[in-house]
RNA sequence: GCGCUCGUAGCUCAGCUGGAUAGAGCAACGGAUUUCUAAUCCGUUGGUCGGGGGUUCGAAUCCCUCCGGGCGCGCCA
């Protein structure tokens, strides 16, 4: 990438200036380059002169002027270098450098934008919806965020495992089993009461109907608790299958499904408690067993074993995280709904009590989605069961719109999702704006081929004919992909990819209105074919990372 | 009450771990296009970055405080 090369050039220049005592400085700080906000400030800018001004006892502008005297651009990356009064050093990439980018795109193809660097192995745990009912829209957002984060991190060189933690143990499951059992009896004409805190949704009846269809009334003779136990298992498998089905509809797949009840069966939780106990972090109080999480940043200590002898969810969660770390993952990333953010401190404290580094667990808090229809809020009530499920949303607006629009905002801020907007096929809808750019490129390439303008390799066309500002801007934008992927991965911000896709589409559309691919000048047409095809490749790669189809 | 989080243009939001005159999109207004898909492009208007204080060469960004919104504060999961 151009960035590293420029950093190198600056570094050498500063060292030389120091060696020749032109700059009287002690140490050479790390050189950082940034993308100037203003296009007029070049492709890259360095604030090194501002940083060194204090040390050198000279105004920034003078320091910058000294440094650029020593810049040695042997390979001709740079068109020019400028120092504005503020003392920044602005670098303008040469056209040749941009053209060589087109060659790189040709060579790397679908791998352009990906990095070959090998980084640490990470486990991303996300969605982890309780298997007791349909997924809501928020689950969908967190699913997409986790999935694209995984894709982007893979592209950036991380070894990623995607895991779904199944909360198939505990009170919620019991209630769920009872709810199904009650509906089962009711549907068979028995006058039984429905559990007070039971699951109201229509889907519970559906599951009961399913059981009746398959096995009729054979469970009626059992005691109600026996029946609830059996139905808990049947129903849970059914709901889990349903969850998997919806996830596959939005193309979110997991490498691993981890069951909470397995931790209970294996005795992993007791073992973890013993482990913590031996380290002296566990104590008894008021009939319960407590963990000293407050020693490591939690607001208060937490219960591991309740007075009635039952393990808490927290105890299981510690064992789960220990298990993850023992599987050899150096970095754990959890994506949790906003309603769990009060839980963050205690889990992080537990990680430290287990003896692992604080940084080994990162928790991304996902905010909710506000559903709108033509600007009006869609009213939802959990109590009455009146809500739009993820399933229904995907059926109405389609996978691509759901995925793209869920990634339009930072994960930790809430997001407005307008159902009608998501369905429109105009430029107001960002998804179609981007997809259209791809379709238009494909159409141009087909048209051109029909007019006798073939797509040749870069070494057979005159790239230096690509000189219009819109053409160079388009190339510049294409060459940003790797940097965007890198940043999205390292900062865990997959949503910046949608912004990039929009910018790239805009750069292409600008080019389109200014320049014709098929024209009088045959050489120029051939060069532009290479250009638009490169744009197609980069746009397709971007959409692929987002999990959105690139139409022809 | 305590904790987390957010507050940037009329609306929806970026702002890359402190840099240049705070940027997009939508809306409003004004233009372009003899076209390879009008699902397009270009321009203009619009800001006390919630208020106040501090840190320094330099703050939307870091710290403190106040105001306002969201969420969380169980021997629930």
């Amino acid at each position: 990438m151009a960035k590293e090369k420029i950093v190198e050039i600056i570094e050498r220049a500063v060292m030389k200036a120091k060696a020749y005592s032109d700059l009287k400085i002690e140490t050479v700080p790390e050189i950082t380059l940034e993308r100037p906000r203003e296009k007029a400030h070049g492709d890259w800018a360095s604030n090194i002169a501002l940083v060194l001004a204090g040390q050198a006892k000279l105004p920034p502008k003078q320091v910058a002027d000294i440094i650029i005297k020593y810049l040695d651009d042997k390979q001709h990356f740079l068109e020019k270098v400028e120092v504005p009064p503020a003392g920044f050093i602005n670098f303008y990439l040469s056209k040749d450098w941009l053209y060589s980018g087109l060659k790189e795109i040709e060579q790397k193809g679908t791998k352009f934008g990906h990095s070959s660097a090998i980084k640490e192995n990470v486990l991303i745990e996300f969605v982890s919806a309780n298997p007791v009912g349909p997924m809501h829209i928020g689950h969908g957002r967190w699913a997409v965020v986790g999935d694209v984060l995984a894709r982007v991190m893979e592209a950036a060189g991380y070894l990623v495992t995607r895991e779904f933690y199944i909360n198939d143990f505990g009170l919620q499951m019991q209630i769920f089993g009872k709810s199904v059992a009650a509906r089962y009896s009711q549907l068979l004409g028995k006058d039984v009461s429905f559990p007070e805190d039971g699951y109201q949704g229509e889907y519970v009846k559906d599951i009961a109907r399913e059981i009746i269809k398959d096995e009729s009334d054979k469970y009626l003779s059992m005691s109600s608790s026996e029946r609830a136990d059996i139905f808990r298992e049947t129903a849970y498998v059914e709901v889990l299958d349903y969850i998997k089905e919806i996830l596959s509809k939005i193309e979110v797949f997991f490498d691993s499904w981890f069951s909470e009840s397995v931790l209970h069966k294996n005795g992993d939780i007791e073992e973890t408690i013993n482990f913590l106990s031996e380290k002296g972090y566990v104590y008894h109080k008021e009939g319960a067993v407590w963990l000293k999480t407050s020693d490591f940043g939690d607001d208060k200590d937490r219960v591991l074993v309740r007075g009635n002898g039952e393990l808490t969810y927290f105890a299981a969660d510690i064992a789960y995280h220990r298990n993850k770390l023992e599987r050899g993952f150096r970095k754990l990333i959890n994506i949790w709904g906003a309603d769990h953010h009060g839980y963050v401190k205690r889990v992080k404290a537990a990680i430290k009590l287990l003896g692992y580094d604080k940084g080994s667990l990162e928790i991304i808090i996902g905010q909710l989605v506000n559903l709108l229809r033509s600007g009006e809020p869609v009213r939802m009530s959990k109590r009455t069961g009146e809500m739009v499920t993820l399933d229904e949303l995907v059926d109405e607006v389609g996978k691509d719109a759901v995925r793209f629009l869920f990634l339009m905002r930072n994960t930790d801020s809430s997001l407005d999702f307008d159902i009608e907007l998501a369905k429109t096929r105009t430029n107001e809808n960002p998804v179609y704006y981007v997809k259209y750019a791809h379709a238009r490129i494909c159409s141009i390439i087909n048209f051109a081929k029909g007019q006798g303008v073939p797509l040749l390799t870069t070494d057979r066309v005159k790239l230096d004919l690509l000189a219009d500002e819109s053409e160079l801007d388009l190339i510049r934008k294409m060459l940003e992909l790797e940097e965007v992927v890198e940043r999205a991965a390292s900062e865990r911000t997959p949503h910046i990819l949608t912004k990039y896709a929009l910018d790239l589409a805009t750069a292409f559309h600008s080019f389109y209105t200014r320049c014709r691919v098929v024209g009088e000048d045959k050489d120029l047409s051939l060069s532009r074919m290479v250009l638009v095809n490169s744009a197609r490749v980069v746009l397709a790669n971007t959409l692929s990372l987002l999990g959105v189809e690139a139409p022809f």
Side-chain angles (χ1 to χ4, degrees):
Chain A
M1 282 201 289
K3 191 178 175 182
E4 281 85 39
K5 310 250 182 193
I6 298 172
V7 166
E8 222 172 276
I9 291 171
I10 300 171
E11 203 157 34
R12 251 181 273 144
V14 175
M15 306 243 272
K16 229 185 235 178
K18 179 173 180 277
Y20 286 91
S21 293
D22 236 3
L23 278 179
K24 297 187 178 51
I25 53 173
E26 291 297 314
T27 53
V28 179
E30 197 191 336
I31 312 290
T32 56
L33 270 189
E34 57 186 53
R35 291 270 183 194
R37 263 198 290 263
E38 302 268 334
K39 197 187 157 195
H41 295 150
D43 294 297
W44 291 100
S46 171
N47 67 345
I48 185 68
L50 287 84
V51 174
L52 284 175
Q55 254 197 87
K57 299 193 177 68
L58 288 172
K61 169 85 166 103
Q62 276 187 44
V63 175
D65 285 333
I66 293 168
I67 293 171
I68 62 168
K69 276 196 303 183
Y70 290 97
L71 291 176
D72 185 9
D73 176 25
K74 282 199 201 76
Q75 296 168 75
H76 195 62
F77 295 123
L78 302 171
E79 178 86 24
K80 61 176 174 174
V81 177
E82 283 181 348
V83 178
F88 289 90
I89 306 177
N90 295 335
F91 298 89
Y92 299 76
L93 296 177
S94 69
K95 287 181 190 167
D96 284 342
W97 172 264
L98 297 178
Y99 299 147
S100 72
L102 293 178
K103 293 183 181 166
E104 190 191 337
I105 294 168
E106 178 177 67
Q107 280 160 18
K108 293 192 177 166
T110 56
K111 290 288 170 204
F112 177 80
H114 294 226
S115 159
S116 50
I118 308 253
K119 304 200 175 85
E120 58 201 338
N121 58 343
V122 299
L123 181 118
I124 306 182
E125 182 219 320
F126 59 114
V127 187
S128 298
N130 286 348
V132 294
M135 284 192 288
H136 60 242
I137 314 288
H139 287 132
R141 182 180 184 192
W142 309 328
V144 171
V145 166
D147 179 62
V148 175
L149 179 61
R151 290 178 195 228
V152 156
M153 288 184 79
E154 278 169 348
Y158 294 83
L159 209 61
V160 180
T161 299
R162 304 137 204 249
E163 185 158 289
F164 187 117
Y165 183 52
I166 312 167
N167 299 129
D168 54 358
F169 187 92
L171 191 64
Q172 299 304 318
M173 291 298 295
Q174 306 290 349
I175 296 170
F176 185 45
K178 282 181 197 163
S179 307
V180 178
R183 292 299 185 215
Y184 175 84
S185 302
Q186 286 173 349
L187 284 166
L188 289 170
K190 300 287 170 196
D191 182 25
V192 299
S193 63
F194 192 73
E196 204 174 311
D197 46 3
Y199 291 92
Q200 296 286 350
E202 192 61 28
Y203 67 94
V204 178
K205 290 183 197 163
D206 292 342
I207 293 168
R209 275 191 206 103
E210 197 69 16
I211 295 171
I212 293 169
K213 204 179 92 192
D214 293 344
E215 305 181 273
S216 181
D217 62 353
K218 73 180 259 201
Y219 298 105
L220 264 190
S221 53
M222 296 180 169
S223 75
S224 62
S225 69
E226 258 182 301
R227 190 160 52 237
D229 283 349
I230 291 172
F231 286 3
R232 193 182 59 222
E233 293 306 310
T234 336
Y236 142 76
V237 170
E238 191 135 327
V239 173
L240 200 59
D241 281 348
Y242 178 60
I243 287 174
K244 288 182 186 178
E245 189 192 315
I246 297 165
L247 288 171
S248 78
K249 260 198 211 175
I250 53 171
E251 283 179 34
V252 174
F253 300 100
F254 287 84
D255 303 300
S256 162
W257 298 77
F258 195 100
S259 153
E260 179 187 356
S261 58
V262 168
L263 291 170
H264 286 84
K265 282 187 200 124
N266 292 352
D268 289 351
I269 305 170
E270 284 83 355
E271 208 225 298
T272 300
I273 294 175
N274 288 339
F275 175 79
L276 291 166
S277 190
E278 278 163 26
K279 294 182 129 191
Y281 298 135
V282 174
Y283 63 93
H284 292 256
K285 192 182 86 179
E286 293 162 8
V289 178
W290 299 71
L291 183 66
K292 287 192 197 171
T293 51
S294 64
D295 284 4
F296 283 91
D298 198 5
D299 304 319
K300 52 182 259 194
D301 291 343
R302 307 287 170 177
V303 171
L304 296 173
V305 186
R306 293 191 259 156
N308 64 5
E310 282 179 31
L311 296 163
T312 58
Y313 177 82
F314 180 50
D317 221 16
I318 298 171
Y320 173 45
H321 283 86
R322 184 174 177 227
N323 177 294
K324 290 186 193 175
L325 290 160
E326 285 180 350
R327 275 185 271 160
F329 293 103
R330 303 206 18 214
K331 175 71 80 182
L332 308 180
I333 298 176
N334 295 357
I335 299 175
W336 284 354
D339 51 340
H340 284 76
H341 86 253
Y343 198 72
V344 171
K345 278 187 187 174
R346 74 187 72 168
V347 176
K348 288 200 164 176
I351 294 285
K352 283 191 259 179
L353 290 169
L354 286 169
Y356 289 96
D357 185 67
K358 175 185 162 192
S360 49
L361 173 65
E362 280 177 38
I363 297 172
I364 296 172
I365 294 298
Q367 290 290 341
L368 291 160
V369 176
N370 304 316
L371 217 47
L372 307 173
R373 201 178 273 280
S374 306
E376 292 298 312
V378 176
R379 293 162 57 86
M380 286 200 264
S381 152
K382 206 164 190 177
R383 213 181 29 241
T384 60
E386 182 195 332
M387 62 178 262
V388 180
T389 64
L390 177 60
D391 201 13
E392 291 160 349
L393 183 72
V394 175
D395 283 346
E396 182 165 1
V397 309
K399 175 208 69 163
D400 286 346
V402 164
R403 289 189 62 112
F404 195 96
L405 295 172
F406 276 173
L407 284 167
M408 288 284 289
R409 300 271 172 271
N410 201 329
T411 311
D412 61 25
S413 56
S414 62
L415 168 130
D416 291 341
F417 187 104
D418 195 305
I419 297 176
E420 292 308 321
L421 177 63
K423 290 196 289 186
T424 58
R425 304 201 162 211
T426 67
N427 63 347
E428 286 165 60
N429 183 352
V431 193
Y432 281 94
Y433 179 80
V434 172
K435 292 177 73 152
Y436 175 58
H438 189 271
R440 194 178 228 184
I441 295 172
C442 293
S443 160
I444 291 170
I445 292 173
N446 278 336
F447 176 85
K449 284 179 179 166
Q451 298 293 308
V453 182
L455 173 60
L456 302 177
T457 51
T458 48
D459 54 342
R460 295 177 61 198
V461 304
K462 296 171 182 163
L463 291 174
D464 56 359
L465 295 177
L466 301 172
D468 188 86
E469 204 48 41
S470 68
E471 295 178 306
L472 299 174
D473 282 346
L474 179 54
I475 302 174
R476 282 191 184 94
K477 193 47 82 177
M478 292 190 247
L479 299 184
E480 279 179 32
L481 179 60
E482 183 172 344
E483 184 190 329
V484 171
V485 168
E486 179 62 42
R487 195 154 69 85
S490 65
E491 292 174 14
R492 329 292 191 220
T493 51
H495 72 283
I496 64 172
L497 224 57
T498 54
K499 174 78 165 73
Y500 175 74
L502 286 162
D503 287 347
L504 185 57
T506 299
F508 168 74
H509 286 312
S510 293
F511 157 79
Y512 175 82
T513 34
R514 285 175 60 110
C515 305
R516 276 192 68 86
V517 173
V518 182
E520 297 296 306
D521 184 339
K522 187 71 190 280
D523 281 340
L524 182 58
S525 291
L526 291 171
S527 300
R528 284 181 172 163
M529 273 294 269
V530 168
L531 176 71
V532 295
N533 187 58
S534 304
R536 183 188 60 77
V537 168
V538 178
L539 196 52
N541 290 1
T542 307
L543 287 170
S544 154
L545 286 166
L546 288 165
V548 171
E549 305 307 318
F552 296 101

